[in-house]
Amino acid sequence: MLKKIYNNKPLIGLIVFSIIVSFLNPRFLSVNNILNVLRQTSINSVIAIGMTLVILTGGIDLSVGSILALTGAFGASLIAHGINPILAIIIAIVIGGLFGIFNGLLISYAKLQPFIVTLVTMTLLRGATLVFTDGKPIPVRDGGDFFDNIGGGYFFDIPIPIYIMIALFIAGYYILNDIKFGRYIYAIGGNEEATKLSGVNTSKYKTLVYGVCGALSALAGVIVTSRLGSAQPTAGTGYELDAIAAVVLGGTSLAGGVGTITGTALGAIIIGVLGNALNLLNVSSYYQMMVKALVILIAVLIDKKSSK
C-alpha cells in the first residue's frame, strides 16, 4: 500500500501542496473550504472525464468550453420560454453530444487533425453563443427545484455537484476497466492501425468518445447555469485548458493509450486546490493565470519524460 502511494506522483504532489498551503493559511483545511474546493472542482471534473476518454484515444478536444457555453445558453432559453426544465436539460445534453459527434465524424471519417477540428468548432460555437445570446446573460427565473438544485442545492450539507462528480468518476472507471468500450479506447490510443486490423471499427468508437465528451461538457454547462441562475455568454472560457491540465497531471499520456480515471480525479483536485490556495493567499487573478500555465507546462514536460 505504501509503495503504491509513493509511486503515485499526483497524490504525493497533492498531499505535499496541501500541507504547505495549510501552514500558510489555516482556513484551507476547514470543512467549509474543502467542500468549496470540491464544488469548484466538480465542473472541471465533469469535463475532464470526457477529455480523459478523448486523450486516451490520442486525440484532443478544445471545444469543450464553447459547447458548455452554447448548450447552457440554449437550455436556459428553453426554460425561459416555458419548456419543462428536465426536458430542457435533456435537450441541452443531447445537443452537446451531437456537437461532439460532429467533431468525431470529421476526425474519424474525414481524417482531419483533432487539434484543427476542435479549434475550429471552439471558435465557431463561441461565436454562435454570442450571436444566440446577443452578448447578454439569459436569466433562469422559473427553473424549479430540480434545475436549481443541480448546481446550487445540497444533500446532507454536501453540494449536489459533488455527488454528480463522484457518480461520473465511478461511471468513467467502470467504462474504462469493465466493458469492451473502455478496452477499445485504450487499444485505439495504443495502436489504432493494429486495433483496426483486429476487426474493431475504430472510427465508430472514436466518434462515440467525442460524443460522450460533448455530452459531459453540456452537463457541465447545465450545472454552471443552475449555480449562477443564468447562462453567461462567456461561460466556459479557458475550461478546455483546465480539463487538459487535470488529465495530464493525473498521468494520462497526450500520446494516448496510457492513463486512468482515478488519475484524472486527482489532477482535477490539484487544479482546484491550486486555484483555491492562490485565492486564500490573495494572489492576483493575473498571476493565477501565469501559475496555471506553468503547471500545464510542467505536466506536459513530465508526460514527455515519462513516455520515453
Side-chain angles (χ1 to χ4, degrees):
M1 177 65 74
L2 290 176
K3 186 177 180 180
K4 285 185 178 180
I5 294 175
Y6 178 76
N7 290 330
N8 193 325
K9 294 180 178 62
L11 180 58
I12 292 295
L14 176 61
I15 293 172
V16 171
F17 184 70
S18 298
I19 292 173
I20 292 172
V21 176
S22 65
F23 277 111
L24 295 174
N25 192 318
R27 287 187 300 160
F28 175 74
L29 290 180
S30 67
V31 173
N32 286 338
N33 189 61
I34 290 173
L35 290 176
N36 183 47
V37 170
L38 291 175
R39 181 169 60 180
Q40 291 174 343
T41 300
S42 64
I43 303 298
N44 187 31
S45 294
V46 172
I47 300 173
I49 291 168
M51 189 69 75
T52 302
L53 304 183
V54 168
I55 291 179
L56 280 172
T57 65
I60 199 78
D61 192 344
L62 301 178
S63 67
V64 291
S66 297
I67 292 176
L68 179 153
L70 184 54
T71 54
F74 190 70
S77 178
L78 289 176
I79 295 172
H81 284 83
I83 300 297
N84 181 283
I86 297 177
L87 179 60
I89 291 170
I90 294 172
I91 292 173
I93 293 173
V94 169
I95 290 174
L98 291 175
F99 284 139
I101 288 173
F102 176 74
N103 284 335
L105 289 173
L106 291 176
I107 292 164
S108 301
Y109 291 94
K111 305 302 180 184
L112 300 179
Q113 289 295 321
F115 181 88
I116 299 300
V117 170
T118 58
L119 178 63
V120 169
T121 52
M122 176 186 76
T123 308
L124 178 66
L125 297 182
R126 180 61 64 182
T129 303
L130 294 173
V131 171
F132 182 76
T133 62
D134 196 26
K136 301 173 184 177
I138 300 177
V140 182
R141 297 187 178 90
D142 300 311
D145 291 340
F146 183 82
F147 179 82
D148 293 342
N149 285 331
I150 286 178
Y154 289 81
F155 186 68
F156 290 115
D157 296 325
I158 297 175
I160 288 177
I162 296 177
Y163 290 105
I164 296 174
M165 173 183 69
I166 293 172
L168 288 173
F169 273 126
I170 293 172
Y173 182 89
Y174 174 74
I175 289 171
L176 289 178
N177 292 277
D178 295 323
I179 65 174
K180 181 172 62 176
F181 185 31
R183 292 193 294 273
Y184 288 164
I185 288 172
Y186 280 110
I188 291 169
N191 191 324
E192 183 174 351
E193 190 60 30
T195 305
K196 184 184 295 185
L197 291 173
S198 69
V200 177
N201 188 339
T202 57
S203 295
K204 181 182 77 172
Y205 286 104
K206 282 176 67 176
T207 301
L208 286 174
V209 163
Y210 281 92
V212 171
C213 189
L216 289 175
S217 300
L219 174 58
V222 170
I223 297 172
V224 170
T225 303
S226 169
R227 184 177 175 187
L228 297 177
S230 65
Q232 302 294 321
T234 57
T237 302
Y239 280 27
E240 59 281 341
L241 296 181
D242 284 346
I244 293 169
V247 175
V248 178
L249 278 173
T252 298
S253 172
L254 288 170
V258 177
T260 63
I261 206 71
T262 52
T264 295
L266 285 172
I269 293 173
I270 290 172
I271 295 295
V273 166
L274 177 62
N276 179 261
L278 293 174
N279 285 330
L280 288 176
L281 298 175
N282 296 318
V283 176
S284 167
S285 60
Y286 305 131
Y287 288 107
Q288 289 188 32
M289 293 175 64
M290 296 169 63
V291 171
K292 281 187 177 182
L294 289 173
V295 168
I296 295 173
L297 176 60
I298 292 170
V300 172
L301 289 173
I302 293 173
D303 169 62
K304 186 174 182 179
K305 182 178 179 181
S306 62
S307 63
K308 288 184 178 180

